[in-house]
Amino acid sequence: MADDTTAAAPLAGDPIAGDGTTPKIAVIDVWKSFAGKEVLRGIDLEVTTGESLVIVGGSGAGKSVLLKHLIGLIQPDRGHIVVDGEDLTCAEPAVCLAMRKKFGMSFQEGALFDSMSVFENVAFALRRHTRMREDEIAARVHECLAMVHLEDVDAKMPGQLSGGMRRRVGFARAIALQPEILLFDEPNTGLDPITSAAIDKVIVEMRDSLPVTMVTITHDMSSAFRIADRVAMLREGRILAVAPPEQFRVLPDQYIQKFLAGEPLEEEEVA
Amino acid sequence: MAPEATPQNAVVRFFERIGSMAQGLFEEVGRFFYILHSTLYWTFHRPFDGAQWLRQMVRVGVDSLPVVGLTAMFTGMVMALQTYRGFERFHAEGFVGSVVSLSLTRELAPVLTALMLAGRIGSSLAAELGTMRVTEQIDALYAMATEPLHYLVVPRVAATTLMLPPLVALADGLGIFGGYAVSVGLLGANPVIYWEKTFQFLDLNDVFSGLIKAGVFGLILSVTGCAKGFFTTGGAEGVGRATTAAVVMSSVVILLSDFFLTKILF
């Protein structure tokens, strides 16, 4: 795995040609700017099938924007997002919509539908995209809720749940359709350390028990090291480095070391 | 460093402001037609969510009954009061029924009902979709391979467009009844003459054209409300701005389009 440590990782194989070494997700030279401000500046990244990649970076580094590119919620100005050999950036809207069935995404604050109960939230995609009977849907919903250690919350409305519970319902909703790829947007933000560790535990359990590829973005390094197979550092819209956790900790880059130690940057280092 | 305040700079700033206002206007119009076009496109795509349509129709139709009923009835009553006193001066009280029925069916019932619903439904559509946008619920729908325009916007626009005509028909009836009650009950008009004059000059076309207007107004206010909500940015403040803008814009567009519709229909 030593070769995994890269400064802008060269892509293995040809993701568009699909030559057998195709990564699950390939991000190829992606650029994005909003109102003239460049947020992503030539991102190259690949995620192999079954791995858990955690993208870390400071506030405003472009993490959420990058994650939303992966599922096609944002289209890049330049570059390609290739999922299972299919270029999401060139695909028709209908193809994009269908491709999203491969994904499950958990949002920062859960993004639960507040007009629906917990049960209806988790059952939403099942009712929309499958022909399952109501009893089958109920069984699947309970299975998903059990996986995130939630019981007896079916009838509750999102407003009645704590922050940690909302995130876990979001996880249950994301896995309901048995997706191949799971995306987590800042799963620990705003949670206390104990709840945060419990959330990490649920993510690790899902990583180990489900046949999924996972991409998580966070700025919480302890959480990143708990759930990652590889960690990628994003800074000022560029990938600074990608490495397995044990190698990431000892990377000689000054910014990464300060990020790990939680130290402020010198004035000349601030972008 | 701030640019020097010269007359040339003031001229440039003036034209910049006009340019940005024009750009804003084009953006609003573009968003309106984007939502309108997408709604028409997705209306004929599966899955057809009957339960959502029904829920929205109850929300727009049944829940609006008290406010629409009261508005129409009191408008009819005031119309009768005003015209009776005016017509009395040249002994034409008998025509109060005609004036009330014609003005209500052709103009007042559709416009006032639409304006009431712009406040009640247009604002709530903008607030609801705006909140869903800023709390990432709309992104969550996309992420679950569900087109939000299909799931959220189509039932709301369809329900408003379909429910406005029946509401206006009801408003017509209640308004005419209000006029009758005031004329006969309060001002002592002859009930037989009142009904006779009410229907003598009232054509079915007057009623139908009012109902067509109502459908168009329903489409305008729901698409405006959805467009303002769907493209909301800027958190809670943004939702507040979108809600206000939805009511103001749809009211203005309803009044403007009323002129052109009246010119075309009558």
Side-chain angles (χ1 to χ4, degrees), chain A residues 107-170:
Chain A
F107 289 83
Q108 229 173 81
E109 300 290 336
L112 302 179
F113 303 129
D114 44 24
S115 58
M116 298 180 192
S117 67
V118 166
F119 182 92
E120 287 169 327
N121 263 284
V122 181
F124 182 87
L126 298 170
R127 287 186 173 142
R128 195 92 186 156
H129 298 302
T130 70
R131 289 173 183 275
M132 289 165 79
R133 293 193 313 271
E134 270 306 305
D135 57 330
E136 292 170 331
I137 289 175
R140 177 67 189 151
V141 168
H142 290 132
E143 189 186 347
C144 293
L145 287 172
M147 196 170 280
V148 297
H149 306 294
L150 282 175
E151 279 161 19
D152 302 326
V153 292
D154 297 24
K156 288 206 163 122
M157 299 303 281
Q160 298 171 290
L161 304 176
S162 68
M165 285 167 92
R166 272 205 298 275
R167 310 282 166 98
R168 284 189 280 157
V169 175

Side-chain angles (χ1 to χ4, degrees), chain A residues 68 71 73 97-98 100-101 103 105 107-109 111-114 116 121 124-125 128-129 173 185, chain B residues 41-42 46-47 49 52 128 131-132 135-147 150-151:
Chain A
K68 286 182 177 175
I71 194 170
L73 290 176
L97 211 57
R100 290 198 193 116
K101 287 183 196 165
F103 288 87
M105 182 164 177
F107 289 83
Q108 229 173 81
E109 300 290 336
L112 302 179
F113 303 129
D114 44 24
M116 298 180 192
N121 263 284
F124 182 87
R128 195 92 186 156
H129 298 302
R173 188 175 69 175
D185 186 357
Chain B
Y41 172 80
W42 283 107
R46 285 183 184 184
D49 200 339
Q52 269 279 357
E128 189 182 12
T131 306
M132 290 187 78
T135 54
E136 294 187 306
Q137 291 177 54
I138 286 182
D139 282 345
L141 280 171
Y142 276 123
M144 285 191 281
T146 301
E147 171 59 55
H150 189 197
Y151 180 72

Side-chain angles (χ1 to χ4, degrees), chain B residues 187-210:
Chain B
L187 303 167
N190 183 319
V192 177
I193 293 178
Y194 189 93
W195 282 129
E196 190 189 312
K197 294 293 178 193
T198 293
F199 295 111
Q200 185 179 355
F201 296 107
L202 187 65
D203 201 332
L204 262 186
N205 271 343
D206 297 322
V207 179
F208 285 142
S209 54

Side-chain angles (χ1 to χ4, degrees), chain A residues 3-210:
Chain A
D3 290 339
D4 287 347
T5 311
T6 56
L11 297 170
D14 182 345
I16 298 180
D19 58 359
T21 56
T22 307
K24 190 74 180 170
I25 305 171
V27 180
I28 307 163
D29 193 27
V30 164
W31 293 73
K32 183 71 187 178
S33 58
F34 293 104
K37 186 180 182 301
E38 283 183 335
V39 179
L40 301 182
R41 301 192 295 170
I43 299 275
D44 282 309
L45 190 67
E46 62 179 51
V47 189
T48 52
T49 305
E51 82 164 328
S52 170
L53 177 76
V54 176
I55 302 168
V56 294
S59 303
K63 303 187 297 291
S64 285
V65 173
L66 176 57
L67 197 74
K68 286 182 177 175
H69 272 84
L70 299 186
I71 194 170
L73 290 176
I74 300 177
Q75 291 293 327
D77 297 336
R78 214 165 83 207
H80 301 275
I81 309 286
V82 182
V83 177
D84 278 340
E86 180 125 29
D87 191 344
L88 269 185
T89 43
C90 305
E92 292 288 314
V95 177
C96 258
L97 211 57
M99 282 290 284
R100 290 198 193 116
K101 287 183 196 165
K102 291 187 177 186
F103 288 87
M105 182 164 177
S106 153
F107 289 83
Q108 229 173 81
E109 300 290 336
L112 302 179
F113 303 129
D114 44 24
S115 58
M116 298 180 192
S117 67
V118 166
F119 182 92
E120 287 169 327
N121 263 284
V122 181
F124 182 87
L126 298 170
R127 287 186 173 142
R128 195 92 186 156
H129 298 302
T130 70
R131 289 173 183 275
M132 289 165 79
R133 293 193 313 271
E134 270 306 305
D135 57 330
E136 292 170 331
I137 289 175
R140 177 67 189 151
V141 168
H142 290 132
E143 189 186 347
C144 293
L145 287 172
M147 196 170 280
V148 297
H149 306 294
L150 282 175
E151 279 161 19
D152 302 326
V153 292
D154 297 24
K156 288 206 163 122
M157 299 303 281
Q160 298 171 290
L161 304 176
S162 68
M165 285 167 92
R166 272 205 298 275
R167 310 282 166 98
R168 284 189 280 157
V169 175
F171 294 173
R173 188 175 69 175
I175 59 174
L177 267 186
Q178 297 177 309
E180 297 169 29
I181 303 161
L182 272 175
L183 307 179
F184 296 98
D185 186 357
E186 305 264 11
N188 309 82
T189 301
L191 299 179
D192 65 83
I194 292 174
T195 313
S196 179
I199 291 282
D200 288 345
K201 186 167 169 266
V202 170
I203 295 176
V204 169
E205 282 171 7
M206 290 199 289
R207 181 191 71 186
D208 297 340
S209 62
L210 300 174

Side-chain angles (χ1 to χ4, degrees), chain B residues 11-90:
Chain B
V11 171
V12 169
R13 275 203 303 277
F14 173 72
F15 281 109
E16 274 177 356
R17 190 168 295 176
I18 290 184
S20 101
M21 278 168 68
Q23 190 183 341
L25 182 70
F26 281 119
E27 279 176 9
E28 291 296 342
V29 173
R31 285 171 183 165
F32 178 90
F33 282 103
Y34 170 74
I35 294 288
L36 180 63
H37 171 261
S38 309
T39 304
L40 292 174
Y41 172 80
W42 283 107
T43 299
F44 303 101
H45 278 70
R46 285 183 184 184
F48 175 77
D49 200 339
Q52 269 279 357
W53 278 52
L54 198 66
R55 208 166 19 244
Q56 295 303 327
M57 284 168 93
V58 169
R59 173 189 178 188
V60 177
V62 180
D63 296 351
S64 298
L65 283 177
V67 67
V68 168
L70 271 177
T71 308
M73 193 127 108
F74 276 85
T75 305
M77 287 161 72
V78 169
M79 281 284 299
L81 210 54
Q82 292 277 24
T83 48
Y84 195 93
R85 292 294 180 217
F87 284 19
E88 203 177 25
R89 295 175 193 174
F90 43 90

